[in-house]
Amino acid sequence: MFTPFTLRGAREALSAGTVSVTDLTRTALERARAKADLNIFLELFDESALAKAAEVDAKRAAGIAGELAGAIVSLKDNICYKGHRVSASSRILEGYVSPYSATVTERLLAADAVIIGRTNCDEFAMGS
C-alpha cells in the first residue's frame, strides 16, 4: 500500500514503480490545498514544482536522479528561492521577489528535491 505522506512510503512506491514524482507532487499540492484553513502555506509553487517533478522523473528514468529524488519539501518564508516571493511573513517585504536562491535551496534542488511552496512563520522568523 502506498503511503504518500512519508518519505519512506514515497521511496518505496517510487522504487516499486507504482507512482511517479509528478504524482507525489500533485498529491502534496492537493493535500496542502485541503488544509488551507490551517494557514501553513503562504503560497504554493504549482508551476515550478510540477516542472521540477517532471525533470526528476526524467532523471530517474535515465538513472541519474539525485539523492533526494522524490522528496517533497517546502521552504520557510525567510528562505530565498530565485524568482519566487519571499516576505519573512512581514508586510515590509510584501511583494518582494528574490533575485537569487539561498544555498540551502540550491542544494535541495541540486539533489532533486521538489519544493512545493513557502510556509508561514513569525515575522522575520524571530519567534515570540
Side-chain angles (χ1 to χ4, degrees), residues 48-95:
S48 61
L50 289 169
K52 181 65 176 182
E55 175 189 322
V56 175
D57 281 332
K59 285 183 172 183
R60 288 187 72 249
I64 58 170
E67 293 177 5
L68 295 178
I72 309 296
V73 299
S74 58
L75 298 176
K76 186 183 272 193
D77 190 33
N78 66 338
I79 299 174
C80 294
Y81 185 8
K82 186 177 183 174
H84 293 80
R85 290 186 299 169
V86 62
S87 70
S89 295
S90 175
R91 288 187 181 153
I92 295 170
L93 294 173
E94 194 171 312

Side-chain angles (χ1 to χ4, degrees), residues 6-127:
T6 66
L7 186 54
R8 176 178 287 176
R11 288 231 182 239
E12 289 171 359
L14 285 168
S15 294
T18 59
V19 70
S20 68
V21 177
T22 301
D23 295 332
L24 291 174
T25 303
R26 282 194 177 106
T27 300
L29 289 167
E30 288 169 10
R31 187 163 191 224
R33 280 194 178 74
K35 301 289 184 179
D37 61 313
L38 298 177
N39 296 319
I40 298 166
F41 284 91
L42 296 173
E43 179 180 15
L44 293 171
F45 304 146
D46 294 74
E47 189 176 315
S48 61
L50 289 169
K52 181 65 176 182
E55 175 189 322
V56 175
D57 281 332
K59 285 183 172 183
R60 288 187 72 249
I64 58 170
E67 293 177 5
L68 295 178
I72 309 296
V73 299
S74 58
L75 298 176
K76 186 183 272 193
D77 190 33
N78 66 338
I79 299 174
C80 294
Y81 185 8
K82 186 177 183 174
H84 293 80
R85 290 186 299 169
V86 62
S87 70
S89 295
S90 175
R91 288 187 181 153
I92 295 170
L93 294 173
E94 194 171 312
Y96 176 73
V97 176
S98 182
Y100 65 91
S101 287
T103 301
V104 67
T105 305
E106 290 175 349
R107 289 183 179 182
L108 284 167
L109 293 170
D112 288 329
V114 177
I115 301 170
I116 65 164
R118 60 188 177 108
T119 57
N120 212 346
C121 62
D122 290 328
E123 188 172 24
F124 294 105
M126 294 181 68

